[in-house]
Amino acid sequence: MCREMCSDSFNQEVDVSNWKTVDSRNLGITRAMIPQPSWVVLKILKSQGFQAYLVGGCVRDLLLRRVPKDFDVITTANLKQIRRQFHRSEIIGRRFPICRVHIKGSVIEVSSFETVAKHGEGKEMVLLSQIPYGCDEIDLVRWRNSIHRDFTINSLFFDPFLNKIYDYANGISDLRCLKLRTLIPAYLSFTEDCARILRGLRIAARLGLSFCKDIDTAMHSLSSSIERLDKSRIMMELNYMLSYGAAESSICLLRRYNLLKILLPFHAAYLDQQAGKITAENPMMLMRLFFNLDKLVSCDRPADYTLWVGLLSFHQALVSDPQDAFVVWVFASVLYHGKWKEGVKFARDRAKEPVKFVPEISGFSEIESDEQLAVKVTELALSVQDCVNDLTKASSGYVFVSKKIERNVQQIFDVLVNSIESYNSGKRSHIIDYDMLGKGNLVETRFVLGKIILKTISGGLVAGEEEIDEEEMPEVLDKDSVENYLAKKNRKRGLQPSSAELKLKTAKKCKWTEKFSSINHELSMNKEDVVPKEEVEEIHKAVKNCQLPDKELKVRTTEKHKWIENSCHFDQELSINEELVQKEGSQQLGEETQKAAKTCQSPEEEIKVNPEKILEKKDRHSLSTEGTNKKRDKQKRADNKKKNGLLLSSLFKEK
């Protein structure tokens, strides 16, 4: 049947005119948007002569101005060649293997065109007659890969080296229309890989896309086929739905296509039962919990699976055994504050009105004894742990929660079971550490879980009780840092500044105005004490004409050494000349030399004996002396300038 559908759907030749190559810069996508680890992987593959592209969801999210969950790479290299290029890499997967590259603290998934081509041989036998002729070889490689992808909006290739986006299935047009469409008939696509049903729901929930009629019909028909998936695959897809900021809309779509009955039958029955009872005064608590979860997490700041599994278990415990509102307040407040006494005090100050959630909340009665309160909170924690255990049993529907996940979630509530009154989390601030939250840190998960529950029950109060927010929470950090954090958060969300922020800005502005006015006043007062220009010029002249004793002594000593060296050299020449005279027997030369030696102490007599030689020697000496004097004058000027500056600076300091 699949072969017939495939051949019928491709009974027309491929229209190459629909292939599009778009300049990414015209769509607002640049190379600077690519994280460093992904860019390094792309550059290394490119340097080795392989073609490398970003592909799939990251290109789609960049076009929609959203933060991608991850950046996947595809290349013309095969998996073994990819692994040889990187020191820390491994090949994983059986049906569609990929190479995971660990680089700069991140994991980049790199796939190969060759892998997809091998697994699509059966389908391509039908497409052989439709393969376009005369097109570029690399275009053909990309087109063959695109037809095996799940949805048109995920079949885009981005070449950051050429700033080109390649679209072979009108994916950009579907993005503009916010429409989800498969490349082949939806029934065939979901039959090939039923995980595409969950993936389609996740993408539609996060991006707000609409389904075409073909997909809507196929999802209703094939929803039960997800039971064939491995439990780890289902857990992964559900985590993508509930931990990345689209939990509420994802649950609505799962319920719409009858998938919630398969995965979470207890909560599906709860939603069916409450569907006709929803009012503004009585909202569904489950949906409010996930609504508040979505406000705290996103694709670039995801949570760990322990958070949403804990929320589901907490809600199931309340439905199974409704609790007093004040007990829920204390339960959540202790998780949030990380201390028993602070949590109880906060709950007593805030919980003044009954909470209208039915059937989860049974009523409101402020318990006076802390001992009785501790017993009630411990019982609720034990009930939540039992509900976590129920998720691992076959009676709860399709089991996708493993024993390991069960143990990790139960540890969140252990502190409320064992020695609750001495509990101290050690967390010092009320700001979420998203790095630790994404890693499943227990302290951070407890804090965020308590925050979500507090925001939910405070938002459900009647009589205008204000919703709990960061501005109302006890301040552990200093006031300025908390206000700066809130202002930064509001700017990111595009919110207007609050009255507290405006007051803070006005106070800061006044503070700086006073500071600058005081500085200007000091400057104006100091203007009278500044040394006049005429006095400065006189100081310059005085410093320039004076000669420092140490410097003068140094110059004289240097000159003395030079004259001593010259006289020694001259005596050495005389001794050599005497030996030459004796050997040659030239009495006249010896007499002239002796006379010159005798008269070297008397310049006037030397001139009379040999005036030409003395003049020549005097010229040479005057040239060397002139060069020395120039260097000395240059050094003097530099030293005088330096001394000038020192004198002026000392005068200014004294003034």
Side-chain angles (χ1 to χ4, degrees):
M1 182 185 67
C2 290
R3 285 175 184 170
E4 290 175 1
M5 289 182 64
C6 189
S7 60
D8 290 341
S9 61
F10 290 99
N11 54 6
Q12 296 180 359
E13 292 185 5
V14 177
D15 187 3
V16 182
S17 62
N18 289 330
W19 295 4
K20 298 180 181 65
T21 301
V22 185
D23 192 323
S24 63
R25 292 167 293 189
N26 295 336
L27 300 174
I29 301 179
T30 62
R31 190 181 304 171
M33 296 179 177
I34 304 174
Q36 187 64 18
S38 301
W39 178 241
V40 170
V41 171
L42 288 165
K43 284 202 299 184
I44 290 175
L45 292 170
K46 186 75 172 179
S47 66
Q48 297 301 314
F50 302 111
Q51 296 291 329
Y53 309 91
L54 291 176
V55 67
C58 63
V59 186
R60 174 200 69 212
D61 290 344
L62 289 174
L63 286 169
L64 292 174
R65 305 292 189 274
R66 290 176 173 267
V67 178
K69 179 175 62 68
D70 45 33
F71 286 78
D72 295 333
V73 176
I74 190 168
T75 178
T76 51
N78 60 45
L79 294 177
K80 291 182 179 179
Q81 290 172 327
I82 297 169
R83 188 172 58 183
R84 282 198 293 267
Q85 306 302 323
F86 305 97
H87 297 294
R88 298 180 58 208
S89 61
E90 71 271 1
I91 297 174
I92 61 169
R94 295 179 181 177
R95 187 179 178 189
F96 292 102
I98 60 172
C99 186
R100 297 182 66 188
V101 178
H102 300 263
I103 187 166
K104 294 184 179 293
S106 301
V107 179
I108 310 299
E109 294 185 355
V110 185
S111 58
S112 172
F113 284 108
E114 184 181 273
T115 302
V116 179
K118 286 182 179 178
H119 286 85
E121 288 177 355
K123 185 190 296 184
E124 287 188 356
M125 289 298 293
V126 182
L127 299 176
L128 280 176
S129 59
Q130 284 79 36
I131 290 178
Y133 295 99
C135 63
D136 185 69
E137 183 179 352
I138 190 62
D139 259 331
L140 185 59
V141 170
R142 290 190 294 257
W143 172 77
R144 290 176 63 187
N145 182 271
S146 69
I147 62 175
H148 295 288
R149 297 196 168 269
D150 47 10
F151 303 104
T152 57
I153 60 175
N154 289 341
S155 64
L156 303 171
F157 300 87
F158 174 36
D159 186 344
F161 303 99
L162 300 178
N163 292 308
K164 299 293 184 183
I165 294 178
Y166 301 97
D167 181 8
Y168 300 95
N170 286 325
I172 296 177
S173 176
D174 289 341
L175 273 179
R176 287 175 178 154
C177 300
L178 294 178
K179 182 173 66 175
L180 193 68
R181 187 170 58 87
T182 54
L183 284 105
I184 59 177
Y187 195 96
L188 174 61
S189 179
F190 297 157
T191 303
E192 286 182 350
D193 185 5
C194 57
R196 290 175 177 174
I197 297 175
L198 295 175
R199 199 179 310 138
L201 293 175
R202 165 167 57 90
I203 294 171
R206 189 165 75 87
L207 303 180
L209 305 180
S210 61
F211 296 131
C212 63
K213 186 177 180 181
D214 187 26
I215 290 180
D216 185 75
T217 303
M219 281 186 175
H220 278 295
S221 303
L222 300 173
S223 59
S224 60
S225 62
I226 65 167
E227 296 183 29
R228 299 199 302 265
L229 291 173
D230 186 73
K231 64 173 63 177
S232 61
R233 180 66 183 276
I234 288 185
M235 188 67 191
M236 181 186 74
E237 291 293 343
L238 280 179
N239 189 53
Y240 286 155
M241 287 183 182
L242 306 179
S243 292
Y244 287 76
E248 184 186 19
S249 54
S250 295
I251 288 176
C252 290
L253 287 176
L254 287 171
R255 178 170 174 261
R256 175 182 171 185
Y257 290 99
N258 301 318
L259 293 168
L260 199 63
K261 291 181 180 180
I262 300 172
L263 301 173
L264 298 168
F266 181 90
H267 298 88
Y270 163 82
L271 291 175
D272 290 342
Q273 186 181 17
Q274 296 294 314
K277 303 177 183 179
I278 300 174
T279 61
E281 294 78 16
N282 186 26
M284 284 193 288
M285 188 176 186
L286 178 64
M287 304 309 291
R288 291 296 299 176
L289 286 169
F290 282 102
F291 169 78
N292 288 312
L293 170 62
D294 290 342
K295 289 170 67 177
L296 298 178
V297 298
S298 60
C299 273
D300 56 331
R301 301 184 305 181
D304 186 64
Y305 61 84
T306 53
L307 182 58
W308 60 265
V309 174
L311 278 175
L312 287 173
S313 304
F314 166 75
H315 179 261
Q316 184 172 336
L318 291 183
V319 175
S320 302
D321 184 15
Q323 296 290 321
D324 184 90
F326 187 63
V327 174
V328 178
W329 266 98
V330 176
F331 177 90
S333 184
V334 172
L335 288 175
Y336 177 80
H337 289 88
K339 294 179 182 179
W340 168 254
K341 290 184 179 180
E342 287 187 15
V344 173
K345 182 179 182 303
F346 181 83
R348 291 191 187 280
D349 293 341
R350 295 281 177 167
K352 301 298 183 183
E353 297 288 343
V355 180
K356 294 293 184 178
F357 281 122
V358 180
E360 295 87 354
I361 304 299
S362 60
F364 181 85
S365 59
E366 190 170 352
I367 303 171
E368 296 183 359
S369 171
D370 285 359
E371 289 76 12
Q372 293 179 356
L373 196 57
V375 172
K376 293 286 187 181
V377 172
T378 301
E379 289 177 355
L380 176 57
L382 287 170
S383 178
V384 174
Q385 288 183 330
D386 291 339
C387 292
V388 177
N389 186 34
D390 289 343
L391 291 174
T392 63
K393 296 179 181 179
S395 58
S396 65
Y398 181 79
V399 179
F400 60 89
V401 179
S402 64
K403 288 292 182 181
K404 180 182 177 181
I405 296 174
E406 176 195 0
R407 289 192 299 271
N408 292 341
V409 177
Q410 285 182 341
Q411 286 178 5
I412 298 174
F413 307 99
D414 281 343
V415 294
L416 302 181
V417 176
N418 306 319
S419 62
I420 182 175
E421 295 183 9
S422 61
Y423 170 55
N424 186 350
S425 67
K427 185 175 174 62
R428 296 184 179 181
S429 73
H430 288 91
I431 297 175
I432 300 174
D433 186 340
Y434 283 96
D435 184 51
M436 301 304 293
L437 180 65
K439 294 177 180 178
N441 179 269
L442 288 175
V443 173
E444 206 63 36
T445 304
R446 290 188 190 110
F447 166 73
V448 176
L449 182 65
K451 184 182 181 73
I452 292 170
I453 298 171
L454 283 175
K455 290 176 75 68
T456 301
I457 59 178
S458 64
L461 290 172
V462 186
E465 181 77 11
E466 291 181 0
E467 184 178 350
I468 295 173
D469 205 352
E470 290 86 352
E471 294 171 305
E472 300 177 286
M473 294 297 178
E475 295 175 356
V476 178
L477 301 174
D478 62 285
K479 187 175 180 179
D480 289 340
S481 61
V482 172
E483 290 288 351
N484 289 335
Y485 166 74
L486 292 173
K488 190 180 294 184
K489 184 176 180 182
N490 286 341
R491 281 197 300 271
K492 285 183 178 179
R493 293 185 174 184
L495 302 178
Q496 294 294 329
S498 64
S499 58
E501 292 173 26
L502 291 174
K503 288 179 182 178
L504 180 65
K505 287 181 180 179
T506 307
K508 284 185 176 180
K509 188 175 180 180
C510 294
K511 183 179 178 182
W512 281 107
T513 305
E514 291 174 3
K515 188 172 182 180
F516 282 123
S517 62
S518 63
I519 292 172
N520 291 330
H521 179 67
E522 290 178 7
L523 289 173
S524 62
M525 294 293 291
N526 290 335
K527 281 181 181 178
E528 300 175 0
D529 299 332
V530 176
V531 180
K533 186 176 179 181
E534 295 77 9
E535 189 175 341
V536 173
E537 290 178 353
E538 290 179 3
I539 294 170
H540 272 288
K541 290 178 182 178
V543 174
K544 188 174 182 180
N545 294 330
C546 73
Q547 177 69 41
L548 297 177
D550 293 338
K551 185 71 179 178
E552 186 177 357
L553 179 62
K554 186 176 180 181
V555 172
R556 290 179 180 178
T557 306
T558 306
E559 290 175 357
K560 185 176 180 181
H561 284 303
K562 287 182 178 179
W563 283 109
I564 292 172
E565 289 175 3
N566 290 335
S567 64
C568 292
H569 181 65
F570 189 68
D571 291 338
Q572 186 179 2
E573 287 182 357
L574 288 177
S575 62
I576 294 172
N577 289 334
E578 286 176 357
E579 293 176 2
L580 291 172
V581 169
Q582 290 175 3
K583 288 181 181 179
E584 296 177 358
S586 176
Q587 187 176 359
Q588 184 179 357
L589 182 60
E591 289 175 356
E592 290 177 0
T593 306
Q594 288 175 5
K595 286 179 181 179
K598 288 178 182 179
T599 57
C600 78
Q601 296 177 355
S602 177
E604 294 178 357
E605 295 178 2
E606 186 178 357
I607 292 171
K608 292 178 182 179
V609 175
N610 198 348
E612 295 180 358
K613 289 187 178 181
I614 295 299
L615 287 173
E616 184 181 352
K617 190 181 292 185
K618 189 174 181 180
D619 291 338
R620 288 201 302 268
H621 176 68
S622 64
L623 288 173
S624 62
T625 306
E626 186 180 354
T628 306
N629 291 337
K630 285 183 178 179
K631 290 182 181 178
R632 190 191 313 149
D633 293 338
K634 187 176 181 181
Q635 184 66 30
K636 279 183 182 179
R637 286 195 296 272
D639 293 338
N640 288 340
K641 188 176 181 181
K642 185 176 181 182
K643 186 65 178 177
N644 248 350
L646 292 172
L647 286 172
L648 284 173
S649 62
S650 63
L651 281 171
F652 279 119
K653 285 181 181 178
E654 288 173 5
K655 288 291 182 181

